[in-house]
Amino acid sequence: MGLLAIGTPLEWPEAKKVASHVRSWGIEQLLAIWRNAKGKERDALLWGDEVEYLVVCYDEKKHKVRLSLRQADILAALATDEKLLHQGGGIADAQAGTVRGNETIAPVFHPEFGRFMLEATPGKPWGIGFKDLLDVEPNMKWRRTIAKDHMEKEEYPITLTTFPRLGTPDCTTPSYPVSGPKLRSQFVPDEIANPHIRFPTLAANIRARRGRKVQVNVPVFRDENTPWPWRDPSVNYDLHQWPEDDDVRNGAVTDNYIHMDAMAFGMGSCCLQITFQAKNIEEGRKMYDQLSPLGPILLALTAATPIYKGFLADTDVRWNQISRAVDDRTPEELGEKPLKNDRWRLPKSRYASNSTYISQDPRLRREYLDPSLVIDTDLKQRLLDGGMDDLLATHFAHLFIRDPIVVFAEDLQELDLSKADHFENLQSTNWQHMRFKPPPPGSDMGWRVEFRPMEIQITDFENAAFSIFIVLITRAILSYDLNFYIPITKVAENMETAHVRDAVSTQKFYFRKNPFSERPVSRPSASGTASPVANSRPPTPVGPVEDEFELMTVNEIINGQAGSGFPGLIPLVESYLNSMNVDVETRCELARYLDLIRKRADGTFWTAAKWIRHFVQTHEKYGKDSVVGEDIEYDLVKAAERVTEFEGRDGFAAEMFGRRR
Amino acid sequence: MKLILSTSNIMSGGPSVIRRPTFEKSNTELTSSLRANFAANQSSSSNAPTHHSHSLDSTLNGDCTRPSFRDWTAQEGDTLQIPAHAPSPLTEPREAYDITVKLFYLPNIPANRRCIQTREAIDLVLRELGTTSIDLLIVSFPGISFDADDEDSDSEFEQSPSSGPASTEDGETAPEDIETMITSWRTLEGLHEQKIIAKLGVAEFGCQRLSKFLPKTRVRPSVDQINVRDCCVVPKPLILYAKKEGIELLTHNDCTNVLPRGTLREILGAGEKGVGVLSGEGRGEGLKGDVEPQWVVKYTAVVKDRGVVESKGYFAVAELREA
């Protein structure tokens, strides 16, 4: 998450008044960027990964672990580390950037929403050279080492998606009182968020726009001794400090659901995101579309989030909780009240799965699109008038149905077409599972696509494996011109399915049966070179869209179906690798990564969610009542640290890795 | 008659390129992509307006679905292209690509034909890709297979005193001696000197064979490509030796006998699995005679800084002799 310029943020009623203004300037900036960059060609594949950490702090004497809120101190230590700066690393703003040629560049650290979080990226983007692929895992390990070196000795950067008991009393250090003016949460203090003015404003304005606090309810896992119906025992119904304290008395809490009420419960989750640079805008649009249907599959496969606020949840992934934690929709937009002041009903939060496809690909059938997609027709018309094609204009006109949440007064004085601030204001607060990113003005960067659904894994080995797998999948997609299109609404359904406990082993997902296009026939032509002879035969008969896809298990999607069914993503990647000149050592390393993914998909190895759940349920202090107490949490975080260090080589957590060399 | 079989670009060819672990008989890629390309051309020609009398013949032969091979092949003099083929040149500037070519010399074909065959194969590939040079040429000599479990797997073959390739009883081919290989290698060295080929490579060489081969080369191989299912069991001595000699060990997934005669006969034949270029047992209008595969060449063009395989395909050449 990049920090945008600082200034005087408008409080919600004022920000609301200038929303149209910001949107229309954002659209003008987008048009300027698009005109400028739509002809960019032959950009190399560059890609980057982002790893996010929770900073935990052990209290050995009390056998307790808390979140450390020292993000700012840790970043300050990183920013002043001369050696790190000399190596081109540090933090985003303090990067020295004087590195020569082939020198290894130190990683870069970034703040995140949670004050207990840290994000780290490689010092420079990766290429497709196989050597680069092998550098990813050591680089991730290096990042963690550097992060750890700039922490206190009782602190540790852990890659769990969520802190198991976030939102319980005494879960942070230092400790602060809850019910602050910004979040008004009865579970977490305002100080849980990054103090940069952007973040508290974001949280406060989402709450204000909604007219109440966010409502993050996640079903509780029902164990033998879980009282049923289950009523979240940690909810306080007797607070009377803020108007929002009425929320819990007005139905915000639901039976059998864990109740949370602040942005931090979602945006405080860690994920693994990969960004690719495409060769041109068209390739970027194709990657965006083709990776979209893979999103839910990779979400299910990386599942790592079975605990919230000290209770076992009945779901395995973070996605919907983040979605609800930043859901700024009003009762009218949600359909709870008739539309009066708002413009439309909105079926999804601004954090949600993709809602449309954008590639000008003849294989994109109209039927794949969502006919009820909400768009701002005026803004779409402006984009069309500016020369943009219908599909892309539709995409952005859909993103721009939202209001800007954080607006700085200083930015509204003059429209600067050489900047992207207003465009990014909307673009970067639409958190869909893919993001299509135009080149920043004034840079020589290309069009990029970000793959966002994956959960962070406990070890750097796994994080490298999933990153590299996605990179190789994109290369296979482009090389074989693969077609994964299914109706976009099915992708959204799959996203829900991915939440189910142990979805990897128990659920089926809509997926396209045949990813290949019909073989083009090349015939000699007058010019002596091949030309397609598609005209000489009748158009390919196109069957009903429903016949193109079916329900498949994650195992079938990853490893392939029997017979002439779907070939499987891993066999596709293997086939791609067989077409490349790969040296023995590299192929062996890549085989380790692909083997992990193969076996996670077929159930041989457990997901982190399954392992964490099992750890809790077999802990001696667990009362089979869904409660994850402080002792269990301490042992779990310690265990996760051990897994991070040894990656199963000591025989611990072999369920996730098998026997590792 | 000379038969030139081609797959066209198999990257867009769909299922034929994807091998499943269960039937990883590694000549599947070539044979299935040949079949796929033939089938696509057949069906496209049968959908086109028919103005050939041959279709009547096939009807008479009780085979209503199969168009005459004359409709989708092209004969020029004594050469038959199966199917009729025109090059698909690369789209980006030459320096954007890494072009790798692998030439398979086939068993039981006299080594003295290789000089001409090599030039012919390279010519076909250069014309196909619309370029004048290739980055890496790997040659595969018949009868060698790499056995990762046996470090000395290539030593025993040296017992064979015969010069040229010889068939053993079970139809396997024994590897030829180093001298024969070196004779073939001289042709490649010539192409290297002409700057048509930047780097040369061999396939399936173990330590023993490499150590005998290297001193006799003028242009050393920079690559040794080995077929290992689980590449983590590559023998350490080979890794060390290759490192010392500056030879890069690359992996592949082909088999040495990439196009057995029987397979080719079946693909081209008149039977159920064939395309009817060859006649069978008095049936069909196909060509008569004995078909003998001569060589196979595989080409791959990768866009270097994007890791995208833009073009990959095979040519195979066979001789058809009147029986």
Side-chain angles (χ1 to χ4, degrees):
Chain A
M1 192 180 276
L3 289 192
L4 305 179
I6 203 151
T8 316
L10 301 181
E11 297 214 359
W12 182 245
E14 276 64 49
K16 172 81 187 165
K17 284 179 205 149
V18 297
S20 287
H21 182 167
V22 171
R23 276 192 294 263
S24 74
W25 280 13
I27 287 290
E28 295 308 320
Q29 286 180 334
L30 168 62
L31 271 174
I33 295 165
W34 174 76
R35 281 200 197 101
N36 219 3
K38 67 180 198 271
K40 263 179 88 49
E41 275 294 342
R42 292 196 189 123
D43 284 317
L45 167 67
L46 295 176
W47 66 280
D49 66 87
E50 298 166 41
V51 172
E52 292 168 350
Y53 309 94
L54 299 173
V55 184
V56 296
C57 182
Y58 297 109
D59 183 341
E60 306 285 356
K61 274 205 302 253
K62 291 191 174 153
H63 204 254
K64 185 169 165 63
V65 60
R66 299 180 184 87
L67 284 171
S68 164
L69 301 186
R70 293 198 323 109
Q71 180 191 72
D73 300 333
I74 296 164
L75 285 169
L78 286 160
T80 51
D81 181 331
E82 289 301 328
K83 184 172 164 235
L84 198 59
L85 292 171
H86 185 70
Q87 290 175 292
I91 68 165
D93 296 328
Q95 242 184 313
T98 52
V99 178
R100 297 167 298 273
N102 283 330
E103 248 178 276
T104 313
I105 300 185
V108 182
F109 292 84
H110 315 259
E112 253 296 341
F113 174 82
R115 204 186 286 193
F116 50 84
M117 296 170 82
L118 206 55
E119 179 185 297
T121 55
K124 69 171 171 76
W126 308 112
I128 183 57
F130 288 113
K131 190 185 162 296
D132 278 15
L133 296 185
L134 297 195
D135 282 345
V136 174
E137 186 182 340
N139 187 281
M140 285 178 173
K141 293 194 155 95
W142 188 24
R143 282 180 236 171
R144 199 188 294 265
T145 304
I146 293 173
K148 171 79 187 104
D149 286 349
H150 293 81
M151 292 176 184
E152 304 287 352
K153 67 175 195 318
E154 58 276 11
E155 288 173 334
Y156 189 80
I158 200 118
T159 40
L160 291 170
T161 49
T162 54
F163 188 65
R165 287 174 53 84
L166 173 65
T168 59
D170 191 25
C171 69
T172 65
T173 177
S175 186
Y176 296 94
V178 297
S179 282
K182 293 292 184 188
L183 300 186
R184 303 186 185 182
S185 164
Q186 59 162 281
F187 303 113
V188 290
D190 279 3
E191 288 80 1
I192 200 87
N194 185 319
H196 187 292
I197 189 65
R198 180 183 150 74
F199 296 102
T201 310
L202 189 59
N205 284 0
I206 283 175
R207 176 179 48 70
R209 188 181 191 284
R210 240 180 102 78
R212 51 194 161 169
K213 287 188 287 185
V214 293
Q215 186 177 314
V216 185
N217 288 343
V218 56
V220 73
F221 170 72
R222 184 180 184 179
D223 211 336
E224 284 172 36
N225 301 334
T226 309
W228 211 259
W230 186 83
R231 298 202 170 89
D232 188 336
S234 54
V235 176
N236 184 345
Y237 291 89
D238 299 319
L239 290 175
H240 294 277
Q241 186 180 358
W242 304 105
E244 289 84 353
D245 289 332
D246 288 338
D247 289 358
V248 291
R249 291 182 287 271
N250 291 338
V253 189
T254 311
D255 275 0
N256 304 328
Y257 282 76
I258 305 159
H259 174 68
M260 295 166 283
D261 66 351
M263 186 166 162
F265 287 104
M267 283 295 178
S269 317
C270 298
C271 42
L272 174 65
Q273 292 168 347
I274 319 287
T275 302
F276 305 95
Q277 176 170 276
K279 77 165 171 177
N280 55 26
I281 185 170
E282 200 41 61
E283 187 184 277
R285 293 169 69 167
K286 179 190 271 193
M287 279 212 270
Y288 178 94
D289 280 12
Q290 295 306 327
L291 288 174
S292 283
L294 303 188
I297 314 305
L298 270 296
L299 176 62
L301 197 53
T302 54
T305 319
I307 305 174
Y308 276 98
K309 218 182 63 173
F311 302 106
L312 280 178
D314 204 32
T315 56
D316 268 0
V317 299
R318 76 198 191 287
W319 190 264
N320 279 348
Q321 283 67 259
I322 310 184
S323 177
R324 293 183 186 121
V326 292
D327 190 352
D328 69 343
R329 287 175 296 171
T330 65
E332 291 181 26
E333 287 167 342
L334 285 163
E336 294 171 0
K337 286 183 185 171
L339 276 180
K340 205 171 101 199
N341 301 308
D342 289 315
R343 295 188 289 172
W344 35 52
R345 291 269 163 83
L346 296 176
K348 283 178 176 177
S349 163
R350 53 200 300 159
Y351 188 112
S353 60
N354 291 5
S355 295
T356 192
Y357 290 119
I358 61 173
S359 178
Q360 289 174 305
D361 185 329
R363 302 172 305 180
L364 170 54
R365 297 173 63 176
R366 286 209 82 75
E367 295 96 318
Y368 302 151
L369 300 170
D370 179 2
S372 56
L373 183 75
V374 182
I375 58 163
D376 184 321
T377 46
D378 293 344
L379 294 181
K380 178 176 168 182
Q381 193 54 50
R382 175 68 196 107
L383 290 171
L384 293 174
D385 293 344
M388 193 179 281
D389 59 272
D390 192 84
L391 276 170
L392 198 57
T394 301
H395 166 72
F396 286 113
H398 168 64
L399 298 189
F400 272 65
I401 58 176
R402 311 289 173 176
D403 280 341
I405 298 294
V406 182
V407 182
F408 293 103
E410 293 81 354
D411 298 339
L412 292 172
Q413 273 137 38
E414 199 181 343
L415 172 59
D416 186 347
L417 285 179
S418 69
K419 284 169 67 181
D421 53 343
H422 299 297
F423 166 67
E424 283 297 338
N425 195 333
L426 274 305
Q427 160 97 344
S428 67
T429 53
N430 265 279
W431 299 277
Q432 301 192 334
H433 80 272
M434 301 288 308
R435 189 177 279 162
F436 182 61
K437 302 166 102 167
S443 79
D444 60 355
M445 243 181 256
W447 294 85
R448 288 151 305 142
V449 169
E450 186 179 12
F451 188 73
R452 305 164 42 82
M454 293 193 287
E455 309 231 307
I456 199 79
Q457 305 291 290
I458 297 175
T459 68
D460 295 313
F461 163 63
E462 298 160 277
N463 288 318
F466 280 102
S467 303
I468 289 166
F469 176 61
I470 295 299
V471 173
L472 292 176
I473 278 286
T474 65
R475 299 306 98 185
I477 288 171
L478 296 175
S479 293
Y480 294 112
D481 203 14
L482 298 176
N483 177 2
F484 293 136
Y485 276 126
I486 56 171
I488 194 75
T489 52
K490 294 291 176 201
V491 177
E493 275 187 57
N494 283 346
M495 215 65 174
E496 292 305 312
T497 307
H499 285 71
V500 177
R501 192 153 43 81
D502 205 15
V504 169
S505 305
T506 62
Q507 300 300 304
K508 290 189 170 192
F509 295 80
Y510 295 103
F511 210 77
R512 191 180 179 88
K513 291 187 266 188
N514 179 7
F516 300 108
S517 307
E518 195 168 326
R519 191 182 180 87
V521 175
S522 296
R523 282 290 187 73
S525 67
S527 68
T529 56
S531 62
V533 289
N535 297 343
S536 70
R537 54 180 167 156
T540 315
V542 176
V545 165
E546 289 66 33
D547 291 350
E548 293 177 350
F549 59 88
E550 65 183 29
L551 284 165
M552 295 184 202
T553 61
V554 171
N555 185 33
E556 289 174 317
I557 295 166
I558 297 291
N559 293 315
Q561 293 178 313
S564 58
F566 183 72
L569 299 178
I570 293 268
L572 285 164
V573 164
E574 298 270 14
S575 183
Y576 163 75
L577 289 173
N578 286 339
S579 300
M580 302 291 289
N581 290 330
V582 187
D583 67 84
V584 167
E585 191 189 343
T586 305
R587 191 65 194 261
C588 171
E589 293 293 309
L590 296 179
R592 285 166 55 227
Y593 296 137
L594 296 180
D595 196 52
L596 175 79
I597 288 157
R598 184 182 291 125
K599 290 182 174 154
R600 284 277 164 90
D602 72 17
T604 308
F605 296 161
W606 292 3
T607 61
K610 186 169 178 171
W611 180 80
I612 291 170
R613 205 176 273 288
H614 182 257
F615 185 93
V616 171
Q617 291 185 287
T618 54
H619 193 280
E620 55 173 9
K621 294 278 178 67
Y622 180 64
K624 299 186 194 307
D625 55 358
S626 316
V627 175
V628 182
E630 290 187 358
D631 282 330
I632 303 178
E633 177 183 57
Y634 176 87
D635 290 340
L636 174 61
V637 174
K638 277 282 182 189
E641 182 182 336
R642 178 173 170 190
V643 172
T644 307
E645 299 289 334
F646 292 98
E647 302 181 340
R649 286 191 187 84
D650 57 349
F652 184 66
E655 299 92 340
M656 285 195 282
F657 307 99
R659 289 170 65 93
R660 291 208 59 208
R661 272 176 279 216
Chain B
M1 178 183 271
K2 180 153 104 186
L3 311 179
I4 302 180
L5 289 67
S6 55
T7 61
S8 289
N9 187 356
I10 66 174
M11 296 312 287
S12 47
S16 65
V17 296
I18 308 303
R19 274 171 255 160
R20 284 162 203 289
T22 41
F23 45 90
E24 204 164 350
K25 266 288 285 276
S26 27
N27 55 12
T28 323
E29 179 173 271
L30 169 60
T31 53
S32 59
S33 54
L34 279 175
R35 286 181 200 277
N37 196 34
F38 296 169
N41 278 273
Q42 270 184 324
S43 78
S44 117
S45 78
S46 66
N47 287 334
T50 305
H51 44 76
H52 294 279
S53 57
H54 306 288
S55 46
L56 184 63
D57 296 345
S58 31
T59 314
L60 287 176
N61 288 324
D63 184 358
C64 330
T65 52
R66 181 186 290 169
S68 163
F69 76 89
R70 292 288 175 194
D71 291 345
W72 55 276
T73 60
Q75 185 166 359
E76 197 176 314
D78 202 30
T79 300
L80 182 69
Q81 291 181 347
I82 315 174
H85 181 78
S88 310
L90 297 173
T91 51
E92 295 191 23
R94 174 64 182 86
E95 61 272 17
Y97 294 98
D98 215 341
I99 301 178
T100 300
V101 175
K102 184 168 182 183
L103 178 57
F104 300 84
Y105 297 132
L106 300 183
N108 305 318
I109 302 299
N112 59 16
R113 293 187 197 163
R114 287 184 190 159
C115 179
I116 293 169
Q117 291 177 345
T118 304
R119 284 164 193 279
E120 201 181 345
I122 300 299
D123 269 358
L124 269 177
V125 170
L126 293 179
R127 226 178 311 143
E128 173 67 21
L129 301 178
T131 181
T132 54
S133 68
I134 59 185
D135 298 292
L136 171 63
L137 176 78
I138 295 166
V139 278
S140 161
F141 294 103
I144 314 178
S145 61
F146 184 83
D147 184 358
D149 297 329
D150 179 5
E151 293 176 13
D152 302 319
S153 63
D154 56 357
S155 60
E156 68 202 64
F157 296 131
E158 309 307 330
Q159 300 161 356
S160 164
S162 69
S163 51
S167 283
T168 56
E169 279 173 18
D170 58 0
E172 295 276 309
T173 309
E176 56 207 54
D177 61 28
I178 294 286
E179 285 310 320
T180 313
M181 291 179 183
I182 284 293
T183 309
S184 310
W185 190 255
R186 295 284 176 248
T187 307
L188 309 179
E189 290 176 331
L191 291 166
H192 173 79
E193 277 147 26
Q194 293 169 47
K195 306 236 185 293
I196 294 171
I197 303 171
K199 289 195 298 183
L200 301 178
V202 293
E204 321 296 359
F205 276 33
C207 284
Q208 297 270 349
R209 187 169 277 114
L210 272 176
S211 63
K212 288 188 177 128
F213 187 76
L214 289 182
K216 303 189 175 171
T217 57
R218 290 202 296 264
V219 179
R220 289 161 58 94
S222 13
V223 162
D224 183 11
Q225 203 190 32
I226 52 184
N227 186 350
V228 269
R229 204 143 300 168
D230 179 1
C231 41
C232 300
V233 299
V234 175
K236 195 92 191 170
L238 179 59
I239 292 178
L240 294 174
Y241 184 75
K243 205 158 263 172
K244 185 178 98 194
E245 297 293 336
I247 294 172
E248 201 180 4
L249 291 179
L250 298 182
T251 54
H252 75 83
N253 201 31
D254 313 305
C255 79
T256 322
N257 194 5
V258 67
L259 189 60
R261 187 189 294 224
T263 309
L264 180 60
R265 175 116 220 139
E266 183 188 83
I267 294 174
L268 294 178
E272 217 171 294
K273 291 178 177 169
V275 290
V277 169
L278 300 179
S279 68
E281 330 235 309
R283 260 170 46 115
E285 38 107 40
L287 304 168
K288 294 184 178 53
D290 242 5
V291 70
E292 183 183 56
Q294 300 291 308
W295 51 264
V296 170
V297 70
K298 173 169 83 167
Y299 56 90
T300 312
V302 175
V303 184
K304 267 188 277 191
D305 64 4
R306 294 205 299 276
V308 173
V309 183
E310 185 176 300
S311 182
K312 176 179 174 182
Y314 292 83
F315 289 105
V317 161
E319 286 293 335
L320 181 71
R321 286 195 196 78
E322 290 291 332

